[in-house]
Amino acid sequence: MNNFTFYAPTLFAFGDGEEKNTGALVRRFGGSKVLLVYGGGSVKKNGAYDAVTASLNQAGLPYVELSGIQANPRSGKVYEGIELCRKEGVDFLLALGGGSVIDTAKAIGMGVGYDGDFWDFFTGKAPITTSLPVGTVLTISAAGSEGSDSCVITQEAGNLKWGCPKSDAIRPKFSILNPRYTCSLPAYQTASGAVDMLAHICERYFTNTADVALTDRLCEALMRTVVDAAPRAIANPDDYAARADLMWTGMLAHNNSCGVGRDQDWASHQMEHELSAFYDCAHGAGLAVVMPAWMEYVLPHNPMRFAQFAQCVFGCEMDFACPERTAREGVERLRAFFRALGMPTTFAEIGADPKDIPAMVAHRAEKPNGFPFGGFVKIGPDEMEAILRLAAR
Ligand code: NZQ
Ligand code: ZN
């Protein structure tokens, strides 16, 4: 295990009804005027908006609103939010929704006190040192942004879907996780979220660092929980126990509890960001297409690690004479699991065109230090093209 520091100071309030504490938590973390950020309306239909605004009112907290945040959030709403905060004297950002809403709030938080373009934080021109405080009320178990130190925005000028450098300054001060609100998720979004959680764990699990037995076991427990709970949540959307397991798994999958002390990979995420930039697909759906193809491509690098994944996550029997056979079975079981959830696993199913592959590789190259990426196996332009071609079969 490598040396590490782990600092993840987010307060989590978990369970049915916890959103009634929103106002008190905003006050506790120093807020006196709130920007309430939300998406396209799901929170109005499922009651989350009413519950949260009631709590703000009860705490005597004035708020202004920024709504209409799209999935794969765009820079336009970030600029709008920064202006609104300055004009209204907002000192606290409250995100009500999923990763797209939370990431928009995080990006606004970085930008309000900065003289230049908030995108400077993404290009590395300016370091992220401070932010307005962000709190979240989560309504979808997926991206893990409720506990993470990162944020992903699409800059409309250039269609660049980039993550900002990781920074503890943007970790949410608090996150309220009521699984009940996730019961209104359509099956497709529930499944996309499950894929994203699995991907967050795999990006950490496939490592070249030796002696990481504890975090391996944590990763495997989380992955088995997703494999068990996601089909139950899809079969019965009101299954509170399954929703609760998914919600806490989504947080643990990405606040780095499972990633400490080891080199991490993140190649599948880097490639998926090109898919969602080009085709605006759900992030989890893009991952369901690209991650099994990445696995097939890099499996010869360490078949034993893939065989361990197959055994410990899907219960495959170890073929000691040919561990690579077990390893390949694990990848196939993962792909079959995605299909059973109703996820796409091919380019065509997300409306992607193999003809765009060279353009995606070139687009990736525009990112500072765009190549190589990947901690398990280094991925250069040729490797990225080969993996996307596997996904496009
Ligand atoms: O806009 P509304 O109407 O709210 O609908 C949303 C949206 O269409 C809907 N939804 C959310 N909660 C719902 C609901 N529908 C019914 N009932 C509910 N309770 O779900 C759709 C997707 O929402 P979104 O916020 O986009 O989902 P997710 O949490 O998967 O976030 C995806 C974004 O997060 C980024 C992704 O790249 C993508 O842009 N990521 C952020 C990360 C981070 N900051 O740490 C890490 C991730 O790897 C990821 O890259
Ligand atoms: Zn992700």
Side-chain angles (χ1 to χ4, degrees), residues 143 196 200 269 283 287:
D196 195 15
H200 292 164
H269 267 71
H283 172 59
L287 286 166

Side-chain angles (χ1 to χ4, degrees), residues 162-181:
W162 292 1
C164 68
K166 294 184 187 315
S167 168
D168 284 320
I170 61 168
R171 278 202 204 255
K173 299 293 177 212
F174 70 80
S175 283
I176 297 174
L177 276 54
N178 178 352
R180 194 71 70 193
Y181 287 124

Side-chain angles (χ1 to χ4, degrees), residues 17-34:
E18 289 296 325
E19 68 285 352
K20 67 179 181 304
N21 298 316
T22 310
L25 285 169
V26 171
R27 287 256 182 238
R28 175 169 165 181
F29 289 99
S32 63
K33 184 158 187 188
V34 171

Side-chain angles (χ1 to χ4, degrees), residues 217-352:
R217 295 295 91 78
L218 292 174
C219 289
E220 288 154 3
L222 292 178
M223 289 192 276
R224 287 168 71 145
T225 302
V226 177
V227 169
D228 173 63
R232 288 196 286 125
I234 288 171
N236 175 11
D238 292 326
D239 183 335
Y240 182 86
R243 294 291 187 186
D245 275 342
L246 286 175
M247 204 163 204
W248 194 235
T249 301
M251 201 295 292
L252 289 170
H254 199 41
N255 85 333
N256 215 26
S257 304
C258 298
V260 292
R262 53 169 74 207
D263 294 338
Q264 303 182 16
D265 187 65
W266 296 99
S268 297
H269 267 71
Q270 300 307 328
M271 291 184 282
E272 192 292 319
H273 286 172
E274 293 306 329
L275 287 182
S276 42
F278 271 64
Y279 308 111
D280 203 19
C281 58
H283 172 59
L287 286 166
V289 172
V290 85
M291 197 168 68
W294 170 84
M295 287 181 161
E296 270 183 65
Y297 189 82
V298 303
L299 186 149
H301 173 67
N302 188 349
M304 284 308 287
R305 184 140 276 269
F306 279 93
Q308 180 184 329
F309 169 80
Q311 265 190 309
C312 297
V313 180
F314 287 107
C316 300
E317 207 175 312
M318 181 68 169
D319 183 341
F320 289 100
C322 182
E324 189 158 339
R325 198 194 61 73
T326 311
R328 293 204 181 277
E329 189 186 339
V331 177
E332 274 324 302
R333 289 285 295 273
L334 181 70
R335 197 177 260 134
F337 175 71
F338 290 164
R339 284 204 198 101
L341 293 183
M343 282 283 97
T345 54
T346 64
F347 247 50
E349 287 170 293
I350 52 165

Side-chain angles (χ1 to χ4, degrees), residues 203 264-274 290 294 297-298 360-365 367-388:
E203 301 279 20
Q264 303 182 16
D265 187 65
W266 296 99
S268 297
H269 267 71
Q270 300 307 328
M271 291 184 282
E272 192 292 319
H273 286 172
E274 293 306 329
V290 85
W294 170 84
Y297 189 82
V298 303
M360 278 188 255
V361 174
H363 198 240
R364 166 74 200 179
K367 192 172 181 185
N369 306 314
F371 285 109
F373 56 81
F376 187 59
V377 171
K378 290 273 166 261
I379 306 295
D382 293 347
E383 290 79 16
M384 179 171 170
E385 171 142 7
I387 292 166
L388 294 181

